[in-house]
Amino acid sequence: MEHATEQRGDERSSGRAKLEWVHDRMPLLARLRDRYRAEKPFSGQRLSMSLHLEAKTAALAELLADGGAVVSITSSNPLSAQDDVAAALSERGVEVHARRGLDDVEFDRLQHRVLDIEPTLILDDGGELLSRLVTSRKSLAGGVRGGAEETTTGVTRIRALARDGRLPFAMIAVNDAAMKHLFDNRYGTGQSTWEGIMRACNTTVAGAQVVVAGYGYCGRGVAERARGLGAQVIVTEVDAVRANEAVMDGNRVMPMRDAVRTADFVVTTTGCRDVVRAEHLRLMKDGVVLANAGHFNVEVDVAWLEAQAVRRRPGRTPDVVGYTLADGRTRWVVAEGRLVNLAAGDGHPVEIMDMTFALQALSLEGLAKAVRPPGLYPVDGDIDRWVAQARLEAIGVAIDHLNRAQMRYLNSWDIA
Ligand code: ADE
């Protein structure tokens, strides 16, 4: 008992240290905090959040609570909550329902728990809360003024709901803001995916054959960082334009069936399902490492490996497991094929999440101030520009400005 109490104390102090670390490195959130503490733009709002609960996310939750919201949070992946951060955050006026290592039933239960506050606003990552609000928790949807979505996967789902005429309130596609996907999806995913893989495996990427499935912004980032680490990169794609882009960026492009034969690492980033299937897993060489950087654990057929393996081998950390098939070759899977950068790492670097979360906070503030009809909305251009400018100021970078003649020139059709 005493031991458990001590452990909880250690956990809390580790979580507090992580929170302090990110506070010092999130200048945009710090600017918003000063204003939110004075203005309380969220007073009267109840906010349900489903977002990977690591330190940067905790800083966002605290900020929104500082702005007057009642906040209840859970994590948006069964492996992405950090228990020490959850413990520290629950001391700071936020209701926390999160723990690392949930099974699917418990994960679902906690998504429902955060909805029990009967939200007026939601903040979603991958559409977890929204999907429940349009199915099993429909009765709460009428009280929601709107929400914001973090990911490409979530925005894709919202678009499908809107197309079917079933989107019950306004949702803002934070993912699609320039200051989000150009940086978070590309540089964030690029760095944090390799951080997760390297932490789990501690093996060399230089000189390795890396297969990256998908060449959206996340895939571009993962491939670019792999090239930077000295890997030979092969990209697989289903879109001809993106495949051309991958070629011109210096990657080789080929179908998965050909790519996997010599791969040392296979990283999926597609957001689609069944990308690495039995027919590919059969061909892989001994020691290959498989990781998924897409939102859901549906890209690599880990269930097939589980069923076919003649031996299941523990890896050097609990985040990597080996499956030896009857051919004697072992395929190593990082983080059960779940979002590798959060399940085996700490998520994107702090400066990047500062920008993403500033977009989130400002988008929610807009919804708190003015109700919008149901629909999928882009982030306001002014918000994107504020984040871009504030980030430049934070890093001490100045830029030029157009003079009158230049503005006139750019706005006229008669360019003689
Ligand atoms: N940290 C919190 N949310 C995250 C996300 N969606 N991607 C990467 N890191 C994160």
Side-chain angles (χ1 to χ4, degrees):
M1 198 62 178
E2 216 167 80
H3 175 69
T5 314
E6 236 171 64
Q7 201 178 341
R8 267 198 296 278
D10 287 351
E11 218 166 50
R12 266 196 298 271
S13 62
S14 149
R16 283 186 207 128
K18 286 184 181 175
L19 269 171
E20 266 183 48
W21 180 271
V22 301
H23 277 157
D24 287 353
R25 288 164 182 78
M26 299 184 94
L28 275 59
L29 294 199
R31 278 175 72 165
L32 293 177
R33 185 171 304 111
D34 290 343
R35 181 162 70 74
Y36 284 3
R37 281 187 176 151
E39 293 176 7
K40 301 281 179 204
F42 296 103
S43 88
Q45 303 296 334
R46 293 180 302 279
L47 170 66
S48 298
M49 292 176 68
S50 175
L51 211 64
H52 305 292
L53 185 45
E54 47 90 0
K56 284 92 75 181
T57 312
L60 174 64
E62 262 188 289
L63 169 72
L64 298 166
D66 279 346
V70 170
V71 180
S72 184
I73 185 167
T74 189
S75 208
S76 48
N77 183 291
L79 292 185
S80 66
Q82 298 189 9
D83 295 338
D84 54 353
V85 171
L89 182 60
S90 60
E91 299 176 322
R92 302 188 180 198
V94 172
E95 195 181 298
V96 181
H97 301 287
R99 185 168 53 77
R100 184 185 152 90
L102 302 169
D103 62 29
D104 289 346
V105 173
E106 192 64 359
F107 177 75
D108 180 58
R109 191 178 71 77
L110 296 186
Q111 300 295 317
H112 282 285
R113 276 301 291 280
V114 299
L115 291 172
D116 288 344
I117 62 168
E118 302 187 359
T120 56
L121 294 170
I122 65 166
L123 206 171
D124 226 354
D125 184 310
E128 294 293 349
L129 298 179
L130 178 62
S131 67
R132 286 165 180 83
L133 285 166
V134 296
T135 54
S136 48
R137 302 302 291 276
K138 252 189 199 151
S139 63
L140 299 179
V144 180
R145 347 168 30 111
E149 168 58 50
E150 172 96 355
T151 64
T152 314
T153 296
V155 170
T156 306
R157 281 175 142 189
I158 299 171
R159 216 166 261 128
L161 262 180
R163 226 179 13 246
D164 287 354
R166 294 187 55 199
L167 184 59
F169 42 75
M171 283 298 293
I172 298 186
V174 169
N175 177 73
D176 297 354
M179 291 305 293
K180 201 280 185 178
H181 68 270
L182 291 176
F183 302 94
D184 176 307
N185 298 23
R186 188 165 49 172
Y187 299 102
T189 307
Q191 179 169 326
S192 62
T193 294
W194 285 107
E195 185 186 346
I197 294 170
M198 290 192 283
R199 263 201 223 176
C201 300
N202 190 229
T203 55
T204 309
V205 182
Q209 291 252 1
V210 169
V211 175
V212 178
Y215 209 65
Y217 283 99
C218 294
R220 281 174 220 165
V222 171
E224 200 172 311
R225 287 292 162 265
R227 286 198 307 277
L229 287 163
Q232 299 166 35
V233 181
I234 300 174
V235 168
T236 69
E237 247 305 336
V238 293
D239 180 286
V241 175
R242 287 181 175 181
N244 272 285
E245 196 183 352
V247 169
M248 292 224 184
D249 285 347
N251 306 285
R252 296 172 69 203
V253 175
M254 61 183 78
M256 183 65 82
R257 211 181 152 70
D258 300 324
V260 290
R261 291 169 199 269
T262 51
D264 298 296
F265 298 89
V266 179
V267 186
T268 52
T269 73
T270 69
C272 194
R273 56 177 298 168
D274 308 331
V275 179
V276 178
R277 307 181 289 270
E279 71 203 77
H280 308 124
L281 292 163
R282 277 200 189 94
L283 298 173
M284 290 179 186
K285 68 183 196 189
D286 186 39
V288 64
V289 170
L290 302 166
N292 168 47
H295 186 82
F296 288 115
N297 59 333
V298 294
E299 304 210 16
V300 179
D301 195 350
V302 180
W304 185 84
L305 285 174
E306 289 273 1
Q308 298 295 316
V310 294
R311 190 171 159 223
R312 194 176 189 277
R313 298 174 58 187
R316 62 178 286 279
T317 74
D319 286 332
V320 57
V321 170
Y323 297 92
T324 309
L325 300 188
D327 59 17
R329 303 196 297 265
T330 304
R331 288 78 170 157
W332 294 96
V333 176
V334 185
E336 303 171 10
R338 296 186 191 273
L339 202 52
V340 65
N341 57 344
L342 283 141
D346 286 318
H348 295 346
V350 58
E351 297 82 358
I352 286 179
M353 293 316 294
D354 189 33
M355 296 192 279
T356 297
F357 286 162
L359 293 165
Q360 288 283 14
L362 290 165
S363 298
L364 285 174
E365 186 185 345
L367 288 170
K369 286 184 173 152
V371 180
R372 289 172 141 180
L376 178 61
Y377 294 87
V379 169
D380 286 346
D382 285 349
I383 293 178
D384 230 356
R385 280 187 289 278
W386 184 87
V387 170
Q389 185 56 39
R391 176 72 193 146
L392 289 180
E393 286 165 21
I395 56 177
V397 173
I399 59 174
D400 290 325
H401 298 283
L402 293 172
N403 62 29
R404 281 228 176 101
Q406 288 175 312
M407 271 194 257
R408 220 176 308 119
Y409 179 81
L410 291 176
N411 282 305
S412 61
W413 56 267
D414 176 11
I415 52 172

